Amino acid sequence: MSPALSYALATLFIAGGGALLYACSANQKLLNRPLQGNIPVLLGVGFLPAGMAILTTTTSFCTACLMGMTLLMIVWCLLPLGASLLAGRSRP
């Protein structure tokens, strides 16, 4: 697998897992209510190591951890901000 494809696939897995975990949290602003049940939590938790495993095939373990955690922090910071901006824009 080419490095660009590995990075793109790992980004999708880590961002998807982070978004699922955010949507399951009690203080999320993206949905009307948090996602219920264990399936979204388990999928979110499962996507994170899967993305990290894909990253480790391309880079070293330390670099993969640093890239994964940086991407996860970006997702967790920008997702609530984007949700707040969209919620504020939809109100009259």
Side-chain angles (χ1 to χ4, degrees):
M1 188 180 318
S2 71
L5 184 61
S6 295
Y7 292 143
L9 193 59
T11 300
L12 286 176
F13 270 83
I14 293 172
L20 268 174
L21 288 176
Y22 174 74
C24 294
S25 70
N27 62 346
Q28 59 90 21
K29 295 177 175 74
L30 191 62
L31 306 170
N32 289 335
R33 59 183 175 83
L35 294 177
Q36 302 295 320
N38 292 331
I39 301 295
V41 173
L42 291 175
L43 280 174
V45 169
F47 280 166
L48 296 177
M52 295 295 287
I54 293 169
L55 276 178
T56 55
T57 62
T58 307
T59 62
S60 69
F61 181 73
C62 292
T63 306
C65 286
L66 182 64
M67 291 170 66
M69 293 304 114
T70 303
L71 182 60
L72 195 57
M73 286 189 297
I74 290 169
V75 167
W76 279 344
C77 290
L78 291 183
L79 196 61
L81 179 64
S84 297
L85 288 174
L86 289 175
R89 185 178 290 176
S90 65
R91 293 184 185 143

